[in-house]
Amino acid sequence: MKTILKLAVMLCGATLATTGWSKDDPAAGAKLYSANCTACHGADRAGMPGAFPALTDIGKRLDGAQIKDKIRKGGGLMPPFPQLSQQEIDDIASYLAK
């Protein structure tokens, strides 16, 4: 019985630790956006009509998975960003959703 209880506590702790570690961080996303996206989409996310789309309402046009896929793979004039980790992509997507 003690072994089962210890195992349950360990699994619970591991689950909570993983959840806390992988939580999206819009503040980190804002910094990553500034470093990787502002050159084309602008600091205000307004884009450049005819060249780079505005990202101010990107959540209305694409769902979260599509936004993350676009960041990872690029498309059109947008280059891919394979150097970003999944957590960094999640953070940027979280920032854009705000």
Side-chain angles (χ1 to χ4, degrees):
M1 182 72 166
K2 249 184 173 179
T3 305
I4 293 172
L5 183 59
K6 284 181 184 178
L7 184 59
V9 169
M10 287 173 40
L11 288 174
C12 229
T15 301
L16 292 173
T18 302
T19 302
W21 176 80
S22 65
K23 189 170 183 165
D24 297 346
D25 183 354
K31 290 177 185 175
L32 289 161
Y33 176 89
S34 183
N36 294 283
C37 311
T38 57
C40 297
H41 296 285
D44 60 359
R45 300 185 290 164
M48 185 182 301
F52 307 110
L55 301 178
T56 51
D57 63 349
I58 192 70
K60 293 179 182 176
R61 294 179 277 143
L62 302 174
D63 65 32
Q66 291 172 314
I67 293 170
K68 293 172 187 182
D69 193 53
K70 183 63 87 169
I71 295 168
R72 168 85 53 215
K73 297 178 183 174
L77 294 176
M78 183 170 161
F81 288 87
Q83 75 278 12
L84 296 175
S85 70
Q86 188 59 52
Q87 184 63 52
E88 290 170 325
I89 291 172
D90 291 348
D91 291 344
I92 293 171
S94 178
Y95 167 71
L96 291 174
K98 288 181 78 176

